[in-house]
Amino acid sequence: MDPYDVEGGAINVRFLEADSVRGKFLIQNFDLATANSLRRVMLSEVPTMAIDVVEVQNNTSVLADEFICHRLGLIPLNSKNVDDVLYSRDCECDGYCDQCSVILTLDAKCTGDEVMKVYARDLVVSEGRPNDEVGTPVITDPDGLGSVIVKLRKGQAVKMKCIAKKGIAKEHAKWAPSAAIGFEYDPNNKLRHLDYWYEEDAKKEWPIDEENSNIDGLPQDGEPFDFDAVPNRFFFDVETVGGLEPDQIVLQGIKVLQQKLASVIQELTGAEDTNMDGFGGGQSPQMNGGQGYGAPDPGYTTPYGNASVWGGAGGATPFGATPYGGSGNPW
Amino acid sequence: MNAPDRFELFILGDDEKKVEWKDETRIPNTATFIFNKEDHTLGNLLSVRLHKYDYVTFSAYRVPHPLFAKFEMRVSTDGTVTPKDAIVRACRDVVQDLEILSRSFTTEWLGKRIVHEGEEERLRREREV
Ligand SMILES: [Zn+2]
């Protein structure tokens, strides 16, 4: 039996490395499409905090306002329990408030003769934020400085009010939780999904990841090609920018993907009711323009919160209850 | 200027539905689904997952235009299950798989973190001695 897959056919995870910035692991008995969707979701749809609006009160530095604002946006902010923060667009308030934002102020002036560097640690977090951690600049260097924002010469100053909001990397890369995600399967190309270009010998000319390659089992000489084989072991290497722990990136990614699926289930099963009630029963549904009946949450925030959606029990219409595709169909 | 807002990639428009569908009248047990404000993440996931079921005879998706955040998916079945129910079933199964993954991930992560911290502690002590 495969020494790395002690759980037989069940989906399982094995860690190779786990620390505060990196999680290197493999998922076994999983399928390629789902693994890739998880990768994509971790890259672009896991919510984090980032500075989104900046009020420039004073800037006599050599950098233009928008240049500094861009740099501020890219500073990683703690995003632990970011679920406590509302999306500004879903919030009742006008602009921003304690429920949907964190305010950081930057006020620095150079008075000495030396060039002064302004760091992320100089951002001061205001009182009144959704929880005690969210929005704090990420500082991991031993000196406790954080990223450099701008350099000032004698007499120059910056004063800015920064409003950090929750968002996802699909809107702007500054909200990306991960610096990089390594992803690979079949390191020895046993499935022949790759066709290596080579001059003399592909084996000599292409690098391989020794560790992954050993885990996945080296191909035996003269091993016959298995035409039915599919990838089932996936190597992930998730590195965080600092706002979320690597495990949180993965777990939030899984959750976001589940929410996405839940919203589809809700739409497909819930809309059945619309057709039943709104269009007089058993007709095959047309393009369902049906609105107005318990119109689901307009945002994309809550499909998961609706406990019944994918839990199985609860409000969802049971399978096959409506004669969709049945009676109306001449075949 | 006139660039579309980027949140239009993932926020449904005012009277826009997540999924719309219509029966394909020329082919039995076939329907076309339009997923609004979704991309390959969901398109590939569902259309490939549907291939695993015996009652699904065809499934594929396409993104009609790269500038519009939507995709179309066509699903045919053998008639024992409707295309719509086939998708719902596929979604539930993927959610289930992810749930198992999530649990295994959580336990393994904790285990590895404890080992990792133990090792660091040991190294620190060795250095002090
Ligand atoms: Zn608000």
Side-chain angles (χ1 to χ4, degrees):
Chain A
M1 202 176 75
D2 190 334
Y4 279 90
D5 187 7
V6 290
E7 301 193 22
I11 295 166
N12 67 83
V13 173
R14 287 286 168 272
F15 268 91
L16 303 173
E17 272 172 53
D19 57 41
S20 58
V21 290
R22 192 158 168 224
K24 203 173 169 199
F25 58 97
L26 36 146
I27 303 179
Q28 306 187 102
N29 304 312
F30 214 51
D31 76 288
L32 179 56
T34 320
N36 189 46
S37 288
L38 176 60
R39 181 191 66 84
R40 286 175 60 94
V41 162
M42 291 193 291
L43 277 175
S44 65
E45 296 184 60
V46 171
T48 60
M49 294 296 285
I51 292 171
D52 196 35
V53 180
V54 180
E55 209 174 276
V56 181
Q57 284 146 348
N58 184 25
N59 174 22
T60 50
S61 77
V62 293
L63 299 187
D65 293 1
E66 50 275 49
F67 197 119
I68 298 178
C69 294
H70 180 240
R71 293 180 67 78
L72 287 167
L74 296 174
I75 293 169
L77 302 180
N78 192 318
S79 303
K80 211 170 173 190
N81 294 323
V82 77
D83 287 351
D84 297 342
V85 187
L86 288 174
Y87 283 104
S88 260
R89 64 175 76 86
D90 296 336
C91 191
E92 305 269 298
C93 70
D94 190 24
Y96 59 92
C97 69
D98 287 356
Q99 309 290 310
C100 66
S101 65
V102 176
I103 295 168
L104 303 106
T105 42
L106 182 66
D107 189 357
K109 182 167 188 181
C110 178
T111 49
D113 292 325
E114 299 283 299
V115 169
M116 185 182 106
K117 286 180 185 167
V118 180
Y119 293 98
R121 61 127 187 239
D122 301 317
L123 287 162
V124 180
V125 185
S126 303
E127 290 292 309
R129 46 175 162 163
N131 69 49
D132 289 343
E133 287 174 291
V134 94
T136 312
V138 171
I139 292 167
T140 49
D141 56 298
D143 300 330
L145 300 170
S147 1
V148 179
I149 299 166
V150 64
K151 291 182 188 175
L152 301 178
R153 237 187 78 169
K154 193 172 189 175
Q156 296 177 343
V158 283
K159 189 168 186 206
M160 303 186 174
K161 181 179 178 189
C162 312
I163 296 121
K165 292 183 176 179
K166 178 164 126 175
I168 62 172
K170 245 187 184 183
E171 182 164 359
H172 193 290
K174 68 187 176 186
W175 278 295
S178 56
I181 297 181
F183 179 77
E184 99 167 323
Y185 64 93
D186 188 24
N188 296 310
N189 198 29
K190 287 189 281 195
L191 302 171
R192 302 190 194 168
H193 286 193
L194 288 179
D195 188 9
Y196 286 113
W197 180 90
Y198 58 91
E199 284 184 351
E200 264 138 36
D201 182 3
K203 275 211 175 71
K204 281 186 194 135
E205 291 160 35
W206 285 90
I208 48 161
D209 183 324
E210 292 284 347
E211 191 180 21
N212 290 357
S213 152
N214 288 331
I215 288 169
D216 206 43
L218 293 161
Q220 307 297 314
D221 270 336
E223 193 178 55
F225 180 63
D226 181 357
F227 290 91
D228 298 320
V230 289
N232 55 25
R233 179 182 286 129
F234 303 91
F235 299 83
F236 281 81
D237 189 357
V238 179
E239 187 192 346
T240 177
V241 170
L244 287 172
E245 297 255 298
D247 67 313
Q248 284 306 309
I249 297 177
V250 179
L251 293 174
Q252 292 298 311
I254 292 173
K255 202 175 90 180
V256 169
L257 197 50
Q258 285 179 325
Q259 285 170 340
K260 199 184 270 297
L261 291 156
S263 71
V264 172
I265 295 171
Q266 186 185 37
E267 189 72 28
L268 290 177
T269 54
E272 213 162 44
D273 296 338
T274 314
N275 288 324
M276 293 280 286
D277 292 330
F279 301 103
Q283 280 181 346
S284 285
Q286 303 301 307
M287 266 320 196
N288 60 330
Q291 31 165 309
Y293 175 77
D297 190 287
Y300 77 129
T301 48
T302 54
Y304 188 74
N306 269 313
S308 67
V309 175
W310 57 273
T317 318
F319 286 149
T322 38
Y324 169 64
S327 64
N329 203 320
W331 304 82
Chain B
M1 292 286 278
N2 59 357
D5 289 318
R6 277 175 307 216
F7 62 75
E8 286 178 24
L9 292 172
F10 54 95
I11 300 290
L12 285 170
D14 278 339
D15 31 57
E16 202 173 25
K17 294 280 219 164
K18 186 88 255 173
V19 192
E20 301 166 68
W21 66 91
K22 65 176 171 219
D23 276 335
E24 207 62 69
T25 50
R26 291 155 181 269
I27 310 163
N29 307 311
T30 300
T32 303
F33 299 79
I34 297 174
F35 290 76
N36 290 309
K37 301 299 185 294
E38 290 296 345
D39 59 14
H40 302 278
T41 302
L42 197 63
N44 182 253
L45 177 59
L46 288 182
S47 68
V48 171
R49 171 60 68 130
L50 284 165
H51 293 159
K52 294 194 180 188
Y53 302 93
D54 290 339
Y55 50 78
V56 173
T57 53
F58 177 87
S59 84
Y61 81 103
R62 64 172 188 156
V63 178
H65 189 107
L67 289 182
F68 297 102
K70 62 171 59 173
F71 71 86
E72 285 174 26
M73 189 164 72
R74 182 192 264 205
V75 179
S76 299
T77 65
D78 63 6
T80 57
V81 175
T82 63
K84 190 177 74 169
D85 288 343
I87 294 178
V88 171
R89 171 84 188 277
C91 287
R92 291 212 165 110
D93 287 353
V94 177
V95 168
Q96 197 53 43
D97 282 0
L98 290 168
E99 199 57 35
I100 299 168
L101 173 66
S102 174
R103 268 185 231 131
S104 178
F105 183 90
T106 308
T107 43
E108 293 296 322
W109 167 265
L110 288 174
K112 188 72 183 181
R113 276 309 294 249
I114 290 165
V115 172
H116 179 79
E117 275 157 26
E119 272 168 15
E120 289 203 325
E121 182 64 30
R122 189 175 53 80
L123 287 174
R124 206 173 308 129
R125 279 207 205 113
E126 274 172 15
R127 246 175 280 136
E128 280 165 13
V129 170

